Amino acid sequence: MRKLALIGIALFISFNTIGQNTSSQAKELLDQVANKMGAYSNMFIDFNSSLINKEAGIINDTPIRGEIKLAGEKYNLNYLGNNFIFDGNKLVVINQDEKEITISDSDLDEDDGFIYPSKLLTFYKKGYTFSMGKLKNNNGRKVQFVDLFPIDSNSDIVKVMLGIDAKTKHIYKLIQIGSNGAETTFTIVKFKSNQPISSNLFSFDKQKYLKQGYFID
């Protein structure tokens, strides 16, 4: 009996150690990715997004295209018919269909249960535990997934699977699973770094949009 108890304790310690190792490996890999991509003076990223929610009968087979240009904390994001411009202090959201503009003193966050493309490099640093996921082959590209789980049990996000190109250490795919059963996927289809950029890429020309008849809140 004592021998069985010792075996049980040994197995518990072994599994616990393995769990800690996979967690530290995942954190190390995420930091490598963030350090490498964060060292670029800027990044130009084209991506596809899709949404599947079988429980609600939503299957979006046609990818939604988007693009984002980032430089440090600043970004210019075109997604879902909106242009998001963040200059490091203020966020401007331009709804081109409705010709409406909102300006706020804070950046986008994940409080609404959604990880925005502008947060790909930083979202994991707060509020998640990690573990190494599966290594997959995607058309000859080796993609190492890291599984992330929110610490907050009331989070609208249940799980995030971040796919990292094993060769370039660049983010390739993000799969977010919500508590409502929705599965949102972002796939990077084009990536460029250290590109020449316009000085006004992250600035908002208020007079330009007023002349075009936009309503500014």
Side-chain angles (χ1 to χ4, degrees), residues 126-188:
K126 181 180 178 181
Y128 288 90
T129 60
F130 327 95
S131 65
M132 293 295 283
K134 295 180 179 179
L135 177 63
K136 297 185 178 181
N137 190 311
N138 192 303
N139 296 323
R141 182 202 302 258
K142 290 185 178 180
V143 181
Q144 174 64 61
F145 279 87
V146 174
D147 297 334
L148 303 98
F149 302 92
I151 295 173
D152 182 2
S153 59
N154 295 317
S155 173
D156 291 327
I157 299 174
V158 175
K159 180 181 180 181
V160 178
M161 293 176 285
L162 192 65
I164 297 164
D165 187 309
K167 181 179 180 180
T168 65
K169 294 298 188 293
H170 287 168
I171 294 172
Y172 170 67
K173 186 185 293 284
L174 182 146
I175 303 170
Q176 174 186 309
I177 301 174
S179 57
N180 61 354
E183 182 176 304
T184 306
T185 300
F186 291 99
T187 303
I188 293 177

Side-chain angles (χ1 to χ4, degrees), residues 64-188:
I64 299 172
R65 298 298 299 269
E67 61 177 17
I68 183 169
K69 300 174 178 66
L70 306 103
E73 294 183 351
K74 300 178 182 180
Y75 60 83
N76 188 315
L77 166 66
N78 285 296
Y79 184 56
L80 296 174
N82 294 300
N83 183 205
F84 303 80
I85 302 173
F86 184 63
D87 64 2
N89 295 301
K90 292 184 179 295
L91 173 66
V92 179
V93 181
I94 304 170
N95 185 319
Q96 297 169 339
D97 293 331
E98 302 294 332
K99 300 193 75 171
E100 293 181 352
I101 296 173
T102 58
I103 302 175
S104 60
D105 292 326
S106 60
D107 191 7
L108 295 168
D109 56 38
E110 292 86 54
D111 289 344
D112 57 0
F114 186 79
I115 298 173
Y116 290 89
S118 59
K119 301 300 179 184
L120 285 179
L121 298 182
T122 57
F123 80 93
Y124 75 92
K125 294 186 177 182
K126 181 180 178 181
Y128 288 90
T129 60
F130 327 95
S131 65
M132 293 295 283
K134 295 180 179 179
L135 177 63
K136 297 185 178 181
N137 190 311
N138 192 303
N139 296 323
R141 182 202 302 258
K142 290 185 178 180
V143 181
Q144 174 64 61
F145 279 87
V146 174
D147 297 334
L148 303 98
F149 302 92
I151 295 173
D152 182 2
S153 59
N154 295 317
S155 173
D156 291 327
I157 299 174
V158 175
K159 180 181 180 181
V160 178
M161 293 176 285
L162 192 65
I164 297 164
D165 187 309
K167 181 179 180 180
T168 65
K169 294 298 188 293
H170 287 168
I171 294 172
Y172 170 67
K173 186 185 293 284
L174 182 146
I175 303 170
Q176 174 186 309
I177 301 174
S179 57
N180 61 354
E183 182 176 304
T184 306
T185 300
F186 291 99
T187 303
I188 293 177

Side-chain angles (χ1 to χ4, degrees), residues 38-52:
Y40 297 131
S41 61
N42 60 63
M43 292 179 287
F44 287 23
I45 298 173
D46 291 355
F47 61 89
N48 287 336
S49 72
S50 62
L51 172 65
I52 296 175

Side-chain angles (χ1 to χ4, degrees), residues 1-17:
M1 191 71 179
R2 184 170 179 272
K3 184 176 181 180
L4 289 175
L6 289 174
I7 292 174
I9 293 172
L11 287 174
F12 173 79
I13 294 173
S14 177
F15 287 133
N16 190 49
T17 302

